[in-house]
Amino acid sequence: MSGLLALFDDVAAIAKLAATQLDDVAAQASKAGTKAAGVVIDDAAVTPKYVTGLPAARELPIVWKIARASFFNKLVILLPAALLLQAFLPWMLTPLLMIGGAYLCFEGAEKVWHLIVPHKDKGPQQAETLDAAHLEEQRVKGAIKTDFILSAEIMTISLSQIDIDSFWIQALALAAVAIGITALVYGAVALLVKADDLGIFLTAKGRLAATRALGRGIVKSMPAVMVVIATIGTVAMLWVGGSILVHGLHDLGWHLPYEQIKRAAHLVAEAVGSATGFVTWGVTAGLDGIIGLVAGLVLMPVVTRALVPVSGWLFPEKA
């Protein structure tokens, strides 16, 4: 009997340890996923464009193709790569993270620049010269490439926020972030791309006037909803990208931007005198966003006039 009681005691201790570790995984995954918010919103805002000009019946299958590739990218390729870097080349994480932050700054600044200086988007015009199957294949390939870049940023940002050294907790937390973010992004994308169809259906088939009015409201509001999502995504990209650059420079030994932002946020919070935590965060995020915008504007000519031509020369598109 004493041996049996000891066994039960050991089982209870193991169960308690497992529960504690699961709590750690959940806490680390939540912290990491929150920091990756800028990339997540941008991913949700960017993806719906890949179904533009294609048959409505193909919208959800296309979203599923991209989502399936995104799961593979994060769980099979990027998660092991991130853990290997953390284990054997940890000094590379900060530079890689800063490269991802610079990419976010560039993307956000490019969106702001195109808002100021409008340009013609040539994407949907492809439908005039390509059949639907070929167009779908090209769109899916382009979306998967974009998703891989965004997924790499998400995994790198997430790993940098996990402050527990346990390999398995890091792996499980990253897996939780990968699964949760991908499900969230592509679930939201599926709802966005089918919202118009739902609105049209309610407008045409609704038995009640209120139902038909709801359908018309959904159809009319979707352009504004997409603009709001894109705007939030741009702001979040600049904020997160700028924050990554500032913290990266701080980690590499240049403390001035980080310290000045921290000092400015503290002074403003003291001057306001209330809701100091929110004010501090708001000032910090705003200054990080300004730095992100400036960095992105500086990077724009470098990317468009140097990196893009070199990339096109090294990796020519197949006809």
Side-chain angles (χ1 to χ4, degrees), residues 248-256:
L249 292 173
H250 180 65
D251 292 340
L252 293 176
W254 190 31
H255 308 297
L256 182 62

Side-chain angles (χ1 to χ4, degrees), residues 262-281:
K262 186 176 180 179
R263 181 171 178 272
H266 179 70
L267 291 174
V268 173
E270 279 190 345
V272 172
S274 60
T276 55
F278 177 77
V279 173
T280 300
W281 174 85

